[in-house]
Amino acid sequence: MDYSVKEIAAALGAVAVGDTTRKIARAAEPATAGPADLALAMNPKYAEGLAASAAKVALLWPDADWQSFGLEAAILPDRPRFAMAGLTRMLDAGQGFANGIHPSAVIDPSAELGEGVSVGPLAIISAGAKIGARSVIGPHCFVGQDVTLGADAYLREQVSIGARVQIGARFIAQPGARIGGDGFSFVTAEPSTVEAARHSLGDQGDAKLQPWARIHSLGAVTIGDDVEIGMGATIDCGTIRNTVIGDGSKLDNQVHLGHNVVVGKHCLLCGQVGVAGSVTIGDHVVLGGQVGVSDNIFIGAGVIAGGGTKLMTNVPAGRSMLGYPGTQMDKQVESYKAMRRLPRLLRDVEALKNAVFKSGKAD
Amino acid sequence: MDYSVKEIAAALGAVAVGDTTRKIARAAEPATAGPADLALAMNPKYAEGLAASAAKVALLWPDADWQSFGLEAAILPDRPRFAMAGLTRMLDAGQGFANGIHPSAVIDPSAELGEGVSVGPLAIISAGAKIGARSVIGPHCFVGQDVTLGADAYLREQVSIGARVQIGARFIAQPGARIGGDGFSFVTAEPSTVEAARHSLGDQGDAKLQPWARIHSLGAVTIGDDVEIGMGATIDCGTIRNTVIGDGSKLDNQVHLGHNVVVGKHCLLCGQVGVAGSVTIGDHVVLGGQVGVSDNIFIGAGVIAGGGTKLMTNVPAGRSMLGYPGTQMDKQVESYKAMRRLPRLLRDVEALKNAVFKSGKAD
Amino acid sequence: MDYSVKEIAAALGAVAVGDTTRKIARAAEPATAGPADLALAMNPKYAEGLAASAAKVALLWPDADWQSFGLEAAILPDRPRFAMAGLTRMLDAGQGFANGIHPSAVIDPSAELGEGVSVGPLAIISAGAKIGARSVIGPHCFVGQDVTLGADAYLREQVSIGARVQIGARFIAQPGARIGGDGFSFVTAEPSTVEAARHSLGDQGDAKLQPWARIHSLGAVTIGDDVEIGMGATIDCGTIRNTVIGDGSKLDNQVHLGHNVVVGKHCLLCGQVGVAGSVTIGDHVVLGGQVGVSDNIFIGAGVIAGGGTKLMTNVPAGRSMLGYPGTQMDKQVESYKAMRRLPRLLRDVEALKNAVFKSGKAD
């Protein structure tokens, strides 16, 4: 962290203007930016704050009149939002995990560690595990039996990975991410109340109540390249085959994937999303926070679901969805508006009934 | 894992047909099953895939015409779904946790370990804890002071159990399951805005804003026999008495139980269910994914709630529920359908008003 | 735990009556209270149970006729609910964590531990961390690089705190609470399907599908004094500045705060609340269980949201909210009632149409 304006602009493929030899200490929001900081003011709504600040260097929008803000230098990327990816990668101070194998780690002699692997204090690597080159296994992490983890993985503290899970390159796991628990699959000796209710939608007053027998998970989890899993997220094993997460998909904190789920490539699953067992999700799907997906359904490629949506039936590719139950977004918004008019509607219909039927009677 | 068809069928109480001496290497879905695998094709919808596969042995439905699929042997259970429980138990390769006490585990001298207990690397067992015979305490697990854990427990990695929790036999905890945190119970010196809003349903613009005082949890958690708790699930202690989970109940990943909750026997609480404090749930209740239950209410025996349902008032035994707020399932489905007709209804009423009142005026 | 009635009453600032020298062994609910217990019967609805019990001492409501219940002594606080805070603090048996530094803990030589700090078995304290006086770092906890933790903190088992997080005095973290993961922030090289859908609310059949580039979190988390965080809760770092939790706020189990969120002072966020990135929440806000808050909005001071509410737009100070989308509580309840009348309304309008338009045609 002591780049010049010129170096940063070059790394971002952006235009640099003014005194581009100035050094940057850190990035800052305009309100708190000092003369040694790079103020981030990525669209004109930040212009006023920037002009009032002590900032002398800023990352701005493409055609910004940078000199009008009292700056001595500026970086002008084509798409400032995208430039944030490169900039924050350059300036990330990281967690400070030490290189090498900490002496307190417990590593089975049969585990295979690639070149340059680091293992933090009190981490455990089990028999038969294979860790790709340059991967970092954080403090208190647990890597189970016969796990395969690709090159350049970065596991934060207290991550757990169960037996036989297979993970591609450049995997990132946030603290306490959990991969490879058993699926939640139970069955009764005779058809259960749930099986009955799915058909009838009715009550089951006299259905036979029985204990649950456990269906063990024989499968594991297969995760592609460039996947990231959030804090406290939980990924279940498959029953017979593996649960799957495709290349480039990112799962936020507390996301839950049930057994046999298939997530496509380049999906975003936001905080607290829950996906029930045996769901298939296509590529480039985006599920907002707290979205729920019912078991055994199909979500097509490119689907977007707004926060809190409950997807309960198959969704064709490319749809934008919202609501409970999930409905096409524009229709759902129309429905929300109609609901707000409901109390008035009830009064209108009452008035109509009085006018039509009472006057009818009076005839 | 190298059972014959005959052995598997006998264990499942199922009919075996064909060359029942064939050995099975593993279970597989029809699409990927090879000649040494047991293809799982448990109802006729899998028939086509099975015929096209390389499978030579399959688990089928009761009256399946097994020879028509090119098989050399088959297992025909009465209820194939239930047979999955026995089959997967036989074929489960497990986590490979080693027997015995790992030297890196930290075990208080006053803890009592039953015969054949295993304790994984870097696990902690606190003073006064009692662990039943043959129980497995996984890597990185924490067992608190004076905890009682029954026989044949299986704790996966990184499970934590707080002080004084009492757990029955055959307990299963998935990775990172958490039992025995303090309840979330706070009180203000004078009645709070929440107490006011519960009565008025209105706003509280000038209510006095006060800091929260903590009510400590003096109780712990009592868990019956044959209970399973999912990854990242969190079970709070009771305030005065213990929070309770009855025999045979299963809680999925990220389920949350507040303080004083009582869950009956043989319940299923699916992924991300949240149950607020002091709720009582009867036996054989099934709550779908992301169901929420408001505090201080009663859910009768045998109740089923569909995914995403928010139960906000007492629910009589045997009801099937859906929606927010939770409503009887058939009425809720009728209501969803009506909502979709709302925009048209608004237009219809507008037309009626024009016809009735404008024509009335024109008279 | 062996206080007299007089001592307890004095600590609570409550009136003591009868034989106030009696000693109390523990608190109990009326149904299970024995002669040596303090029965908790804090309002008249418990009166009958109390009279039928073996209790000889009870905590009652202000004007209770204590002698009519067969008691020999009683404590009569002005606000019994508030008295519970003081009482449970006195009687809390705690977790039994040992004082001092356990020899199995891994503590970097550059970490600074205040006077009287305790560190549990297998805990990790990283380089540059500063731990305030008398703080308790529980078993298996991880404290990251350059973390600052105030005096009198109490971390239960398996808590993790990432690099550079700053926490005030008297912090409480329940088991597995996680602070300081990276924010969930990804961007595409060209505008994404999500950016398009936010404007159109429509589908995006032919939008270009692109991989996600990661925006790193350069900020950390700042937590005030007297904050408590529940089991499995996850608090993300900010992107440029820190995510903030104000003094006195309490977060329940499995609460999720995204990057850049600001939570005010003395808020209560109940179980499984999810707050998306860059939300600002005022002081004294109460969010019920499973509430969701959409990204980049503002929740005013004193707002209360009922369980399951999804707040999707700014909420003015002092509002009580309910529903999905979140609406003023009284209006939402009116709307729920109207929805239940919808099927009948549809029939009514059908009848009106028949009467008005068919009779019209018949003219």
Side-chain angles (χ1 to χ4, degrees):
Chain A
M1 290 208 297
D2 204 37
Y3 299 102
S4 68
V5 170
K6 189 190 297 184
E7 286 169 316
I8 293 174
L12 304 180
V15 173
V17 291
D19 176 6
T20 63
T21 61
R22 281 184 77 103
K23 294 276 186 183
I24 294 303
R26 54 165 204 144
E29 300 193 341
T32 59
D37 299 335
L38 177 65
L40 304 179
M42 297 180 295
N43 66 52
K45 76 175 176 185
Y46 297 111
E48 200 174 340
L50 185 62
S53 80
K56 291 294 167 200
V57 192
L59 182 82
L60 300 172
W61 57 100
D63 57 353
D65 178 12
W66 64 277
Q67 283 163 313
S68 69
F69 306 125
L71 301 175
E72 297 183 3
I75 299 171
L76 306 173
D78 286 342
R79 180 161 151 78
R81 200 173 146 69
F82 185 66
M84 283 292 287
L87 178 72
T88 57
R89 188 171 58 240
M90 289 178 81
L91 300 184
D92 189 347
Q95 293 295 314
F97 292 170
N99 289 332
I101 313 290
H102 195 277
S104 65
V106 176
I107 303 179
D108 190 276
S110 68
E112 296 177 22
L113 275 56
E115 199 182 347
V117 164
S118 294
V119 182
L122 303 171
I124 298 171
I125 300 185
S126 305
K130 291 183 179 61
I131 312 292
R134 296 171 304 279
S135 286
V136 174
I137 310 298
H140 283 143
C141 282
F142 172 78
V143 179
Q145 195 177 43
D146 294 326
V147 165
T148 301
L149 181 61
D152 298 300
Y154 191 78
L155 308 189
R156 289 278 303 265
E157 60 271 17
Q158 304 188 349
V159 169
S160 70
I161 304 177
R164 293 174 296 282
V165 169
Q166 298 182 303
I167 301 178
R170 295 172 298 281
F171 180 63
I172 297 176
Q174 297 296 330
R178 310 213 167 275
I179 299 156
D182 277 19
F184 192 71
S185 189
F186 295 92
V187 61
T188 47
E190 298 177 31
S192 69
T193 55
V194 179
E195 292 170 65
R198 285 207 179 206
H199 288 102
S200 72
L201 300 185
D203 301 341
Q204 359 50 53
D206 60 352
K208 189 176 168 187
L209 299 177
Q210 314 162 71
W212 297 99
R214 186 173 202 278
I215 296 179
H216 292 240
S217 294
L218 305 183
V221 181
T222 300
I223 295 178
D225 295 333
D226 299 299
V227 169
E228 178 161 350
I229 309 278
M231 292 195 283
T234 59
I235 317 298
D236 274 352
C237 290
T239 306
I240 304 299
R241 57 177 168 77
N242 285 9
T243 298
V244 175
I245 302 175
D247 293 345
S249 284
K250 320 292 185 187
L251 278 62
D252 197 358
N253 297 343
Q254 302 187 34
V255 167
H256 162 64
L257 298 189
H259 54 281
N260 304 337
V261 167
V262 177
V263 174
K265 297 178 181 176
H266 306 296
C267 294
L268 290 188
L269 275 56
C270 296
Q272 299 180 322
V273 161
V275 182
S278 300
V279 165
T280 298
I281 294 177
D283 297 340
H284 292 278
V285 167
V286 178
L287 304 181
Q290 299 185 330
V291 164
V293 185
S294 294
D295 59 286
N296 285 288
I297 67 173
F298 179 87
I299 310 299
V303 164
I304 293 175
T309 297
K310 307 300 171 197
L311 300 173
M312 306 182 84
T313 51
N314 292 341
V315 182
R319 283 266 166 90
S320 294
M321 306 289 289
L322 189 67
Y324 174 33
T327 307
Q328 280 180 273
M329 199 174 277
D330 45 2
K331 288 185 187 162
Q332 186 67 37
V333 169
E334 192 186 9
S335 175
Y336 287 155
K337 285 179 190 161
M339 265 188 60
R340 255 176 265 143
R341 294 166 61 186
L342 251 189
R344 201 187 128 194
L345 185 73
L346 285 164
R347 289 193 298 272
D348 284 352
V349 171
E350 214 49 42
L352 280 164
K353 282 160 67 182
N354 281 335
V356 172
F357 297 125
K358 288 200 180 159
S359 67
K361 269 183 191 167
D363 280 350
Chain B
M1 290 211 295
D2 204 37
Y3 298 102
S4 69
V5 170
K6 188 190 296 185
E7 286 169 316
I8 293 173
L12 304 181
V15 173
V17 291
D19 176 7
T20 62
T21 62
R22 281 184 77 103
K23 293 279 185 184
I24 294 303
R26 53 165 205 144
E29 299 193 343
T32 59
D37 298 336
L38 177 65
L40 304 179
M42 297 180 295
N43 66 52
K45 77 176 175 183
Y46 298 110
E48 200 173 338
L50 185 62
S53 80
K56 292 294 166 200
V57 192
L59 182 82
L60 300 172
W61 58 98
D63 57 353
D65 178 13
W66 64 277
Q67 283 164 315
S68 69
F69 306 124
L71 301 174
E72 297 183 2
I75 299 172
L76 306 174
D78 286 342
R79 179 162 153 78
R81 199 171 147 69
F82 185 66
M84 282 293 287
L87 177 71
T88 57
R89 188 172 57 240
M90 289 178 80
L91 301 184
D92 189 348
Q95 293 295 314
F97 291 167
N99 289 331
I101 313 291
H102 195 277
S104 65
V106 176
I107 303 178
D108 190 276
S110 68
E112 297 177 22
L113 275 56
E115 198 183 348
V117 165
S118 294
V119 182
L122 303 172
I124 298 171
I125 300 185
S126 304
K130 291 183 179 60
I131 313 291
R134 295 171 305 279
S135 286
V136 174
I137 309 299
H140 283 144
C141 282
F142 172 77
V143 179
Q145 195 177 42
D146 294 326
V147 165
T148 301
L149 182 61
D152 298 301
Y154 191 78
L155 308 190
R156 289 278 303 264
E157 61 271 17
Q158 302 187 351
V159 169
S160 70
I161 305 177
R164 296 175 293 283
V165 169
Q166 298 182 304
I167 302 178
R170 294 171 299 281
F171 180 63
I172 297 176
Q174 297 296 330
R178 311 214 165 273
I179 299 156
D182 276 19
F184 192 73
S185 189
F186 295 91
V187 62
T188 49
E190 297 177 31
S192 69
T193 56
V194 180
E195 293 170 65
R198 286 206 178 207
H199 288 102
S200 73
L201 300 184
D203 301 341
Q204 353 59 50
D206 61 350
K208 189 178 168 186
L209 300 176
Q210 313 161 70
W212 298 99
R214 186 173 203 277
I215 296 179
H216 292 240
S217 294
L218 305 182
V221 181
T222 300
I223 296 179
D225 295 332
D226 299 299
V227 169
E228 178 161 351
I229 310 278
M231 291 195 284
T234 59
I235 317 296
D236 273 351
C237 290
T239 307
I240 303 301
R241 56 175 168 78
N242 284 9
T243 298
V244 176
I245 302 175
D247 293 344
S249 285
K250 321 292 186 185
L251 278 63
D252 197 357
N253 297 344
Q254 301 186 35
V255 167
H256 162 63
L257 298 190
H259 55 281
N260 303 337
V261 167
V262 176
V263 174
K265 297 178 181 177
H266 306 295
C267 295
L268 290 188
L269 276 56
C270 296
Q272 299 178 324
V273 161
V275 182
S278 301
V279 165
T280 298
I281 295 177
D283 297 339
H284 292 277
V285 167
V286 178
L287 303 181
Q290 298 184 331
V291 164
V293 185
S294 294
D295 60 286
N296 285 287
I297 67 172
F298 179 87
I299 310 299
V303 164
I304 292 176
T309 298
K310 308 299 172 198
L311 300 172
M312 306 182 84
T313 51
N314 292 340
V315 183
R319 282 267 166 89
S320 293
M321 306 291 288
L322 189 66
Y324 174 32
T327 306
Q328 280 180 274
M329 199 174 277
D330 44 3
K331 288 184 187 162
Q332 186 66 36
V333 169
E334 194 186 8
S335 175
Y336 286 155
K337 285 179 189 160
M339 266 190 57
R340 254 177 266 141
R341 293 167 61 185
L342 250 189
R344 202 188 126 194
L345 184 73
L346 285 164
R347 289 192 297 272
D348 284 353
V349 170
E350 214 50 43
L352 280 164
K353 282 160 68 183
N354 281 334
V356 172
F357 297 124
K358 287 199 182 160
S359 67
K361 270 183 191 166
D363 281 351
Chain C
M1 288 210 296
D2 204 39
Y3 297 102
S4 69
V5 170
K6 189 190 298 185
E7 287 168 316
I8 294 174
L12 304 181
V15 173
V17 292
D19 176 7
T20 62
T21 62
R22 281 185 76 104
K23 293 278 185 183
I24 294 303
R26 52 165 206 144
E29 299 193 342
T32 59
D37 299 336
L38 176 66
L40 304 179
M42 297 179 296
N43 67 53
K45 75 176 177 183
Y46 298 111
E48 200 173 341
L50 185 63
S53 80
K56 291 294 167 201
V57 191
L59 182 82
L60 300 172
W61 58 100
D63 57 353
D65 178 12
W66 63 277
Q67 284 164 312
S68 70
F69 306 125
L71 302 174
E72 298 184 2
I75 298 171
L76 306 174
D78 285 341
R79 180 160 151 79
R81 200 172 147 68
F82 185 66
M84 282 292 288
L87 178 71
T88 57
R89 187 172 57 241
M90 289 178 81
L91 301 184
D92 189 347
Q95 293 295 314
F97 292 168
N99 289 331
I101 312 290
H102 195 276
S104 66
V106 177
I107 303 178
D108 190 277
S110 69
E112 297 176 23
L113 275 57
E115 198 183 348
V117 165
S118 293
V119 182
L122 303 171
I124 298 172
I125 300 184
S126 304
K130 292 183 179 60
I131 313 290
R134 297 172 303 280
S135 286
V136 175
I137 310 298
H140 283 144
C141 281
F142 172 78
V143 178
Q145 195 176 43
D146 294 326
V147 164
T148 302
L149 182 61
D152 299 300
Y154 191 78
L155 307 189
R156 288 278 304 264
E157 60 272 17
Q158 302 187 350
V159 169
S160 70
I161 304 177
R164 294 175 294 283
V165 169
Q166 299 182 302
I167 302 178
R170 296 172 297 282
F171 180 63
I172 297 176
Q174 297 295 330
R178 310 212 167 276
I179 299 156
D182 275 19
F184 192 72
S185 188
F186 295 91
V187 62
T188 48
E190 297 177 31
S192 68
T193 55
V194 179
E195 292 170 64
R198 285 207 177 204
H199 287 102
S200 72
L201 300 185
D203 301 341
Q204 0 45 59
D206 61 351
K208 189 177 167 186
L209 300 176
Q210 314 161 71
W212 298 98
R214 186 172 202 277
I215 296 178
H216 291 240
S217 294
L218 304 183
V221 181
T222 300
I223 295 178
D225 294 332
D226 299 299
V227 170
E228 178 161 351
I229 309 278
M231 291 194 284
T234 59
I235 316 298
D236 273 352
C237 290
T239 307
I240 303 300
R241 57 175 168 78
N242 285 8
T243 299
V244 176
I245 302 175
D247 293 345
S249 285
K250 320 292 185 185
L251 279 62
D252 197 358
N253 298 343
Q254 301 186 34
V255 167
H256 162 64
L257 298 190
H259 54 281
N260 304 338
V261 167
V262 176
V263 174
K265 296 178 181 178
H266 305 297
C267 295
L268 290 188
L269 277 55
C270 297
Q272 299 179 323
V273 161
V275 182
S278 300
V279 166
T280 298
I281 295 177
D283 297 340
H284 292 279
V285 167
V286 178
L287 304 181
Q290 299 185 330
V291 164
V293 185
S294 294
D295 60 286
N296 286 287
I297 66 173
F298 179 87
I299 310 298
V303 164
I304 293 175
T309 297
K310 307 299 172 198
L311 300 173
M312 306 182 85
T313 51
N314 292 340
V315 182
R319 282 269 166 88
S320 294
M321 306 290 289
L322 189 67
Y324 175 31
T327 306
Q328 280 180 273
M329 200 175 275
D330 45 2
K331 287 184 187 162
Q332 186 67 37
V333 169
E334 192 186 9
S335 174
Y336 287 156
K337 285 179 190 160
M339 266 190 59
R340 255 177 264 142
R341 292 167 62 185
L342 251 190
R344 200 187 129 195
L345 184 73
L346 285 164
R347 289 192 297 272
D348 284 352
V349 170
E350 215 48 45
L352 280 164
K353 282 160 66 183
N354 280 335
V356 172
F357 297 123
K358 287 198 181 161
S359 68
K361 269 184 192 166
D363 279 351

